[in-house]
Amino acid sequence: MSKKGATEIYQPGKEFSKKARISSMAQYRRLWRESIDQPEKFWAREASELSWKQPWKEVLDWKAPDAKWFVGGKLNVCENCVDRHAFGERRNKAAIIFEGEPGDRRTITYSQLHREVCQFANVLLARGVKAKDRVLIYMPMIPEAVIAMLACARIGAVHSVVFGGFSAESISDRLADSGAAHIVTADGGWRRGKIVPLKENVDEAIAKNKAIQSVIVFRRTGQEIAMKKGRDHWWHELAATASAKHEAKAFDSEHPLFILYTSGSTGKPKGILHTSGGYLTGTYTTCKYIFDMRDDDVYWCTADVGWITGHSYIAYGPLAMGVTQVIYEGAPNQPDFGRFWQMIEEHRVSIFYTAPTAIRAFIKAGDNFVEKHDLSSLRLLGSVGEPINPEAWRWYHRKIGGGRCPIVDTWWQTETGAIMISPLPGATPTEPGTATLPFFGIDAAVLDDYGKEVKANEQGRLVIRKPWPSMTRTIYGDKARFKKTYWSDYPGIYTAGDSARRDKDGNFWIIGRLDDVLNVSGHRLGTAEVESALVSHKAVAEAAVVGRPDDLKGQAVVAFVTLKKGFDPSPALQSELRNHVGKVIGAIAKPDDLHFAPALPKTRSGKIIRRLLKELVTTGTVTGNITTLEDFSVIEQLQNSIKGG
Ligand code: PRX
């Protein structure tokens, strides 16, 4: 570390730089410039490292906001992630080292992965799944989740993975929006020593849904579950009769690969659609330069496949690179907070990618859980999901990285498909709290309301000015919302929805969301979603939800609720409402604090002023402009109700 003025700069280690693909800032700058001046040349070079069954005619067809990448090219995404390695020198290399929460272990080589994926592709085909059909995947973090995704990709079906922590209602909403008629799930999964009843949730979600043609159930936990004749099938029984041979057909570069739902500023999650050739090129290229993946690495990303990180940096990018990766099913503190460190020691993990919220939980648990373990196999650390606070950064660097591992703080989104802003570990000087500089081909900037770049250290809107291969193509079934959400602030420019500033060296400091989206433990949660869950309860008249800073989660969910006539505030109703939100959305959305309010602060036109509520929960008082308020006494009443708990 060196001190430059008041700032704290960490230079990449000499040893690391020497071996890295990009080993100096001069090299980064040269390549970045080229990638911005001639993006098509840069991306074509990267894409040509993948296997294409038919070459593209044109690298990019761009009519904002519609991008087509590698136009006319054909490839099979699954073949690139599996077959390419399964028949060459990597055939007996571990693709996946799996550890279940109870401690069971399994290693799957590339050759075995190929067999399993082909077999499951044949299972899907036998169920009648065709190209472009949507398949909903609701699985624990086990290799079969990845196998199911890859099998869909192999036959051109579009997967829509739903995070295993989401509720039955969330599944049914996503089924309705995506029109999926097939579901892949498991009897359950292990989490904190308990079974997550996945199949039971699916049953509840589809009880009245006649459109579902099949539910394929992997046996993970072995407990009794209901199986509906004709509709539900055991994975192992279908696989037993399916051939392990499957010839992968080529699909168009713009063939849809998956839909992943993410929260926005309305109550309805957005189905972010990604396509094939560009997405794979983006995830592959970022794995190569940002994680600097090598054949002898053991890579571990602790995300769940239910989030974009699990798509891009578990299922697709790392496998396209042919790396060995660890997949872990359970909670970080099962049986105790030493679990991750023990796994890093035992599997000799060399690249570790996790979230700031997890790091903060480890800091709180105490260093003794870390100190017992030999973490000398680590060479690179990554962070994703929210701004990493400098204290957590330093601890991660010192305690986990032994002071020798570079940290890549990677900024990106479900919509961007791949990492957009990040240090390159062998080149970029880092500073705790900044994601540093844009990746190759990424023209990121911070703009003011008029579309002008702001001055150094001024806050503005984070945008991307040029198209990139892994960008989302649309919101499934809602092109108008796609245009409005991402492309209406400035013509032809993508707005990320984050505020940011750049320092005088050009480093990006991400400040937070500009919309009504919270970041709870690195997961996006729309305040409108929680509000609509609350008002669906019979006792609730109105609800307003805001975020409050939280030491562990980044942001905690705070709800203000007014009750209908005939209902009175009580601790029992408070917990009933919290559980109701858990049931409608999932446990991550349960409000941390729930206040009963006699009224909500509103403008004269009846709009709830969330800004005041935010200030109230953050500071305990309201000092800002309240002249637009319809009824001034509301603030006083709310202040009292917060003090009263
Ligand atoms: O606010 C930013 C924050 O997470 C949002 C994207 O959330 P999601 O689509 O769920 O994807 C999360 C994993 C890529 C962004 O708009 N965010 C993500 N990474 C960072 C971050 N904020 C600051 N620093 C990061 N490294």
Side-chain angles (χ1 to χ4, degrees):
M1 189 189 92
S2 71
K3 292 255 178 197
K4 194 175 108 192
T7 53
E8 177 188 348
I9 310 273
Y10 294 75
Q11 296 293 345
K14 284 210 171 61
E15 273 307 296
F16 194 103
S17 292
K18 229 171 33 200
K19 296 190 195 127
R21 289 187 175 88
I22 305 295
S23 54
S24 70
M25 280 308 279
Q27 194 187 355
Y28 160 73
R29 286 208 183 89
R30 193 168 4 96
L31 248 180
W32 186 79
R33 191 35 49 218
E34 182 206 289
S35 72
I36 294 297
D37 293 344
Q38 296 167 281
E40 299 183 16
K41 184 174 160 201
F42 174 81
W43 289 116
R45 194 168 61 223
E46 293 301 324
S48 66
E49 290 182 11
L50 297 170
S51 150
W52 294 80
K53 294 211 177 168
Q54 185 175 299
W56 56 85
K57 293 195 180 78
E58 196 187 354
V59 178
L60 170 66
D61 173 353
W62 175 232
K63 287 181 202 77
D66 296 314
K68 290 194 187 114
W69 281 90
F70 311 113
V71 187
K74 285 190 195 296
L75 82 171
N76 186 290
V77 170
C78 173
E79 186 186 65
N80 272 281
C81 295
V82 182
D83 306 39
R84 225 155 48 100
H85 317 302
F87 297 98
E89 282 180 8
R90 295 190 181 120
R91 66 189 178 281
N92 294 323
K93 174 180 178 172
I96 296 172
I97 298 174
F98 169 67
E99 193 163 313
E101 193 183 80
D104 52 318
R105 286 178 177 180
R106 222 167 5 134
T107 298
I108 301 174
T109 64
Y110 273 98
S111 162
Q112 289 166 334
L113 183 65
H114 178 256
R115 205 181 146 77
E116 302 261 345
V117 169
C118 287
Q119 207 160 41
F120 199 65
N122 283 325
V123 165
L124 292 174
L125 289 171
R127 300 309 321 151
V129 179
K130 293 184 297 301
K132 292 197 181 169
D133 282 356
R134 277 79 60 217
V135 176
L136 187 137
I137 299 177
Y138 184 64
M139 293 283 272
M141 269 304 289
I142 56 176
E144 282 68 23
V146 175
I147 290 168
M149 292 162 83
L150 292 167
C152 286
R154 191 171 188 90
I155 62 169
V158 181
H159 58 71
S160 174
V161 183
V162 177
F163 171 54
F166 279 146
S167 66
E169 281 196 36
S170 295
I171 301 171
S172 54
D173 289 349
R174 285 153 175 77
L175 279 171
D177 191 82
S178 65
H182 300 270
I183 300 176
V184 183
T185 187
D187 50 356
W190 292 105
R191 189 84 193 169
R192 293 204 173 84
K194 293 205 185 85
I195 290 176
V196 183
L198 298 169
K199 174 63 166 59
E200 217 177 287
N201 293 347
V202 168
D203 287 341
E204 196 186 325
I206 63 174
K208 290 190 206 102
N209 189 332
K210 296 222 165 48
I212 301 304
Q213 292 168 26
S214 58
V215 180
I216 304 174
V217 188
F218 184 79
R219 182 173 276 153
R220 168 65 188 140
T221 48
Q223 89 275 22
E224 275 294 315
I225 52 159
M227 293 289 278
K228 189 171 169 189
K229 231 179 153 172
R231 187 196 69 186
D232 302 351
H233 309 271
W234 285 107
W235 175 307
H236 60 269
E237 286 178 6
L238 298 181
T241 58
S243 159
K245 287 208 170 68
H246 179 270
E247 189 81 34
K249 277 209 291 284
F251 293 97
D252 196 87
S253 177
E254 284 299 330
H255 188 88
L257 182 62
F258 65 84
I259 301 167
L260 181 61
Y261 286 87
T262 188
S263 296
S265 44
T266 74
K268 191 173 171 280
K270 309 178 269 194
I272 299 300
L273 181 87
H274 282 286
T275 59
S276 303
Y279 174 79
L280 194 66
T281 303
T283 53
Y284 169 83
T285 309
T286 45
C287 279
K288 193 172 86 181
Y289 291 114
I290 296 171
F291 294 115
D292 201 34
M293 283 181 190
R294 305 286 167 166
D295 253 325
D296 57 357
D297 272 319
V298 178
Y299 163 84
W300 181 17
C301 164
T302 67
D304 191 286
V305 282
W307 309 108
I308 190 67
T309 309
H311 283 60
S312 302
Y313 296 107
I314 292 177
Y316 292 108
L319 293 178
M321 283 292 293
V323 81
T324 293
Q325 72 174 315
V326 171
I327 289 183
Y328 170 57
E329 176 185 32
N333 57 347
Q334 190 66 24
D336 61 38
F337 274 102
R339 183 65 182 263
F340 276 16
W341 320 127
Q342 183 172 351
M343 284 181 60
I344 290 177
E345 174 174 351
E346 290 182 12
H347 300 296
R348 305 298 293 154
V349 171
S350 56
I351 307 175
F352 182 62
Y353 191 30
T354 196
T357 184
I359 298 167
R360 291 191 296 265
F362 289 123
I363 297 175
K364 194 166 166 223
D367 290 0
N368 54 330
F369 288 109
V370 181
E371 283 159 1
K372 279 192 254 176
H373 297 286
D374 170 12
L375 304 182
S376 59
S377 57
L378 288 171
R379 67 180 195 92
L380 176 58
L381 302 174
S383 169
V384 61
E386 59 178 306
I388 179 166
N389 48 309
E391 189 199 347
W393 196 102
R394 287 184 204 110
W395 184 88
Y396 196 29
H397 188 255
R398 193 178 64 242
K399 275 284 156 196
I400 306 305
R404 75 183 175 278
C405 305
I407 296 179
V408 288
D409 175 0
T410 60
W411 177 85
W412 58 296
Q413 308 177 295
T414 306
E415 294 85 342
T416 68
I419 298 169
M420 307 296 277
I421 301 178
S422 168
L424 296 181
T428 317
T430 53
E431 195 182 334
T434 169
T436 71
L437 297 165
F439 184 65
F440 300 129
I442 305 305
D443 186 14
V446 180
L447 303 185
D448 66 14
D449 290 350
Y450 307 99
K452 228 177 98 209
E453 264 193 276
V454 297
K455 292 200 198 80
N457 289 318
E458 272 177 22
Q459 199 169 320
R461 278 182 247 180
L462 179 57
V463 301
I464 317 291
R465 292 183 291 203
K466 275 192 161 65
W468 65 101
S470 65
M471 64 201 281
T472 174
R473 302 300 194 258
T474 191
I475 293 174
Y476 188 71
D478 201 345
K479 195 69 187 240
R481 188 175 178 192
F482 170 72
K483 286 185 180 158
K484 185 165 177 287
T485 311
Y486 308 111
W487 300 95
S488 63
D489 284 357
Y490 316 100
I493 290 180
Y494 172 84
T495 313
D498 278 346
S499 67
R501 66 181 173 85
R502 293 187 88 166
D503 64 22
K504 60 176 178 14
D505 301 319
N507 291 314
F508 285 81
W509 296 75
I510 314 297
I511 295 160
R513 299 287 309 180
L514 287 162
D515 49 11
D516 292 320
V517 172
L518 306 182
N519 191 325
V520 179
S521 302
H523 301 309
R524 260 158 82 166
L525 185 65
T527 54
E529 272 174 83
V530 185
E531 288 165 4
S532 97
L534 282 167
V535 296
S536 72
H537 188 278
K538 61 181 186 305
V540 177
E542 276 189 311
V545 170
V546 292
R548 125 175 108 61
D550 181 87
D551 283 350
L552 276 184
K553 297 169 149 193
Q555 275 187 302
V557 182
V558 185
F560 292 87
V561 164
T562 63
L563 295 177
K564 284 186 188 152
K565 261 211 176 77
F567 293 92
D568 294 313
S570 71
L573 183 57
Q574 205 169 26
S575 77
E576 189 179 322
L577 293 179
R578 290 187 68 244
N579 290 335
H580 179 70
V581 176
K583 203 163 160 11
V584 176
I585 304 175
I588 59 159
K590 278 188 187 181
D592 296 272
D593 311 334
L594 190 139
H595 302 287
F596 292 111
L600 298 175
K602 290 187 183 165
T603 60
R604 286 181 195 98
S605 60
K607 239 180 113 186
I608 297 170
I609 315 177
R610 284 185 186 69
R611 172 178 59 80
L612 297 183
L613 294 172
K614 215 163 157 180
E615 192 185 344
L616 192 63
V617 300
T618 311
T619 65
T621 52
V622 171
T623 54
N625 179 1
I626 55 167
T627 50
T628 50
L629 206 60
E630 182 234 7
D631 174 1
F632 293 101
S633 69
V634 166
I635 289 295
E636 202 178 326
Q637 291 170 15
L638 287 174
Q639 268 168 359
N640 293 338
S641 89
I642 281 200
K643 280 189 205 120

